Amino acid sequence: MKLEHIGIAVKSLGVSDELFAKLLGKESYKKESVEREGVVTSFYAAGESKIELLEASKEESPISKFIDKKGEGIHHLAFGVDNILQEVERLKKEGFEFISEEPKEGADNKLIVFLHPKCTNGVLVELCQEKQ
Ligand SMILES: C[C@@H](C(=O)O)C(=O)SCCNC(=O)CCNC(=O)[C@H](O)C(C)(C)COP(=O)(O)OP(=O)(O)OC[C@H]1O[C@@H](n2cnc3c(N)ncnc32)[C@H](O)[C@@H]1OP(=O)(O)O
Ligand SMILES: [Co+2]
């Protein structure tokens, strides 16, 4: 598995896009709304991985809930895999628990699933596979 992106929960994409553009010395290469997840995302290239800024797009968004509880900050790690269904099966056998086992459409042309943070040392983990 490769670290594909790090998701960071932010209150305002406007404010944080300016901050991260300054920090990384380059503009976001893509902004995309993923309504099913209740997020608007903004992506930055960072070597072989990416930074995904996440702003809530509705009140019931996991991002609003996270920010209310913990404040802004690192929300999840996403690992890129070649075959997401195979990885789900492999990790289930290893005893990991998924929030939902059915891959769904994420941002950036990916299929995604999430493991529950309670089975991964409190870190929310996403698996993602490039859509064919
Ligand atoms: C666009 C896409 C992409 O890249 O393509 C994305 O990334 S979308 C990224 C946004 N989408 C998602 O995050 C979808 C997956 N996330 C979820 O389904 C949810 O956020 C859960 C992780 C199941 C948490 O939801 P729930 O309603 O249970 O919230 P809750 O506040 O009661 O949290 C239950 C427990 O999980 C912990 N918890 C919640 N969010 C967490 C996070 N991001 N990292 C680590 N721990 C987290 C809480 O502190 C709490 O722990 P205690 O019990 O110890 O207090
Ligand atoms: Co993500």
Side-chain angles (χ1 to χ4, degrees):
M1 286 189 199
K2 281 188 186 169
L3 183 60
E4 211 277 339
H5 66 261
I6 297 177
I8 300 179
V10 303
K11 287 183 184 162
S12 157
L13 262 193
V15 171
S16 298
D17 254 335
E18 232 177 86
L19 181 77
F20 274 80
K22 266 188 221 155
L23 177 68
L24 300 172
K26 58 185 150 199
E27 299 294 320
S28 150
Y29 71 85
K30 184 188 239 183
K31 288 194 178 59
E32 190 178 341
S33 171
V34 184
E35 207 34 57
R36 202 181 312 102
E37 293 296 318
V39 298
V40 187
T41 63
S42 179
F43 283 93
Y44 292 82
E48 293 195 17
S49 305
K50 298 159 187 166
I51 302 291
E52 176 187 47
L53 301 183
L54 298 146
E55 181 192 72
S57 62
K58 53 186 179 192
E59 223 169 280
E60 329 80 80
S61 168
I63 300 304
S64 343
K65 208 167 174 186
F66 180 84
I67 289 178
D68 286 348
K69 268 197 176 172
K70 304 195 190 191
E72 294 179 296
I74 295 182
H75 179 262
H76 64 270
L77 300 182
F79 293 102
V81 299
D82 293 331
N83 185 329
I84 198 164
L85 293 173
Q86 214 169 295
E87 283 301 319
V88 169
E89 285 312 311
R90 183 180 74 80
L91 293 174
K92 265 166 59 182
K93 281 197 197 111
E94 295 284 2
F96 290 94
E97 208 180 293
F98 286 82
I99 292 168
S100 159
E101 290 171 19
E102 186 69 36
K104 46 191 179 170
E105 281 188 32
D108 220 15
N109 196 40
K110 300 278 196 303
L111 290 172
I112 63 173
V113 289
F114 286 90
L115 281 85
H116 201 285
K118 73 181 177 196
C119 72
T120 43
N121 285 170
V123 177
L124 177 61
V125 172
E126 171 188 334
L127 303 181
C128 57
Q129 179 204 306
E130 199 84 42
K131 269 197 289 181
Q132 312 295 335

